[in-house]
Amino acid sequence: MTITRRRLLTTATAGLALAALPGWRAHASLSLGDWQIDTLSDGVLTLPPDFLFGPMPKDRLATALEGTGIDPTAPLTPPCNVTLLRGRDRVVLVDVGSGTAFQDGVGLLPDALDALGVAPEDVTDVIFTHAHPDHLWGVLDDFDDPMFPEARHVIGETEYAYWTDPATLDSIGAARQAFAVGATRRLESLADSLEVLPDTAAFVPGVMARSTPGHTPGHLAFEVDGGAAGTALIVGDAIGNDHVAFTAPDMISGADQDRETAVQTRTELLAEAASEGTAIVGYHLRGGGLGRVETAGAAYRFVPEG
Ligand SMILES: [Zn+2]
């Protein structure tokens, strides 16, 4: 639930939210140099299996899913992990969840922030990996006011250009036209609080954007600089699930808009994270989304941490 004009029903709904708190609302944490990294659950999406598996060859898919417990004919229920970065006098959100206009079962970020004692007004920066509904639409509350009224909002220039180009509505395909309408409206609503930066800029001091295209044209990952403690990599949907993306990363995915480019991005990120031991945060990975990448035969496995 989001509601708000400053949480109109806070007292009435808080008890409900806590009572309903189920086990999938995993929360993961990592202390990295100056930064405290927490992942907050926005809830769980429900997607038809073909959204992801549709273009995958059936025999390869069956092999890729062995041992994962995923049924390729059942609805997919990916978790949604928003990243909260606190440090250097900043309170940063990486993506903001779905809000209440997209699906049931998501839009729970405001409750997760409450539970950590973070008020929407405390957030100084909102930075976006990409502009799909489950990452962007929570930026407005149920009154279409900004959910984080004191924050600057930052998006990469390629992603911004794509979603604000009127031609996108015609080229994106019928199944995703609502994504385009919703993204355009929200980005325009942010008006003066929105900054559009180059795809490799520091979006926040110590948080560097990195171009990771394919899932969307301007998808970004973020490198969090922890100094001597190392780097964490927030990968968004560039590594979009913790099963086939790891066990068969070279297999094209229906979730990606440019599927071949997404394969290239995914395989490079996985190889790098595995060889360097980098902590990653994935938006739709289990266990709160924070963990490491290990090699497993010719492919990989996700090892949650935190
Ligand atoms: Zn997503």
Side-chain angles (χ1 to χ4, degrees):
M1 82 209 63
T2 297
I3 310 182
T4 265
R5 197 146 288 207
R6 303 296 70 118
R7 300 289 271 182
L8 190 62
L9 300 179
T10 297
T11 47
T13 54
L16 278 177
L18 289 174
L21 199 71
W24 49 257
R25 290 189 68 174
H27 166 232
S29 298
L30 175 68
S31 180
L32 189 80
D34 293 341
W35 296 102
Q36 170 68 28
I37 303 175
D38 291 279
T39 67
L40 307 176
S41 176
D42 189 54
V44 172
L45 290 170
T46 302
L47 302 171
D50 278 358
F51 181 82
L52 181 63
F53 299 140
M56 297 177 179
K58 293 281 177 286
D59 53 340
R60 276 209 75 193
L61 175 60
T63 305
L65 286 175
E66 273 174 17
T68 66
I70 303 284
D71 174 355
T73 65
L76 291 159
T77 53
C80 299
N81 308 300
V82 174
T83 304
L84 174 69
L85 303 171
R86 288 178 286 181
R88 304 190 188 186
D89 295 324
R90 310 295 271 258
V91 177
V92 183
L93 285 175
V94 184
D95 298 332
V96 291
S98 294
T100 55
F102 183 47
Q103 284 194 356
D104 292 339
V106 284
L108 303 175
L109 173 64
D111 304 299
L113 282 169
D114 263 359
L116 277 190
V118 177
E121 294 79 5
D122 297 339
V123 176
T124 58
D125 309 82
V126 172
I127 64 179
F128 295 106
T129 61
H130 65 297
H132 275 167
D134 52 319
H135 300 252
L136 170 68
W137 285 17
V139 80
L140 300 181
D141 68 18
D142 292 350
F143 294 90
D144 278 352
D145 292 329
M147 188 69 214
F148 306 100
E150 304 299 326
R152 59 191 276 272
H153 297 73
V154 194
I155 191 166
E157 60 187 357
T158 305
E159 192 71 357
Y160 181 79
Y162 175 74
W163 293 106
T164 54
D165 180 352
T168 295
L169 192 58
D170 295 323
S171 64
I172 196 169
R176 288 185 169 151
Q177 278 184 334
F179 291 15
V181 173
T184 305
R185 183 168 80 77
R186 285 166 179 82
L187 293 173
E188 288 175 351
S189 293
L190 291 171
D192 291 347
S193 78
L194 184 67
E195 291 177 31
V196 182
L197 291 184
D199 293 345
T200 53
F203 275 30
V204 173
V207 182
M208 190 70 71
R210 175 166 162 177
S211 178
T212 49
H215 181 67
T216 61
H219 188 284
L220 300 179
F222 294 102
E223 294 177 358
V224 181
D225 176 10
T231 299
L233 189 59
I234 301 166
V235 300
D237 287 6
I239 304 173
N241 60 73
D242 51 48
H243 37 91
V244 291
F246 284 79
T247 59
D250 62 321
M251 195 159 59
I252 58 168
S253 163
D256 297 326
Q257 292 190 212
D258 177 343
R259 295 167 183 177
E260 303 296 339
T261 303
V263 164
Q264 188 178 341
T265 293
R266 181 164 57 241
T267 51
E268 288 172 4
L269 284 174
L270 286 164
E272 175 188 319
S275 70
E276 297 182 9
T278 314
I280 66 164
V281 183
Y283 198 79
H284 299 297
L285 307 185
R286 69 180 180 276
L290 176 67
R292 312 264 169 182
V293 180
E294 287 185 354
T295 54
Y300 302 95
R301 76 168 65 91
F302 177 59
V303 183
E305 278 184 15

